[in-house]
Amino acid sequence: MAKKGDYFGMGRLISLIFAIIPVTSWLFGFVTRIKEGKIIAGILRIFLGWNIIYILDLILMLFNGKILRLLNC
């Protein structure tokens, strides 16, 4: 079975494509955190997700298939 990516359980290639596009990375990162019940992490993604978090998400999605977890609680 193919390894799943981090955006809504989509495949790794589709998640990587979404991570490359800044708007989808920002929006899907926010929605994913809210869906997980991590409201503070979602709010941080709204305000900080367009700069360094975007670059880190892109690198981590490329190598690990997962996006950055700001808060693991």
Side-chain angles (χ1 to χ4, degrees), residues 23-66:
V23 174
T24 59
S25 176
W26 178 69
L27 181 64
F28 286 0
F30 168 71
V31 173
T32 302
R33 295 303 164 257
I34 296 297
K35 184 178 171 185
E36 292 174 353
K38 299 176 181 175
I39 306 298
I40 301 297
I43 291 170
L44 286 173
R45 281 206 171 260
I46 284 294
F47 292 111
L48 302 174
W50 54 271
N51 51 19
I52 191 72
I53 294 175
Y54 165 71
I55 295 168
L56 290 173
D57 279 348
L58 187 59
I59 292 168
L60 288 173
M61 183 60 75
L62 184 63
F63 291 111
N64 297 338
K66 302 263 184 212

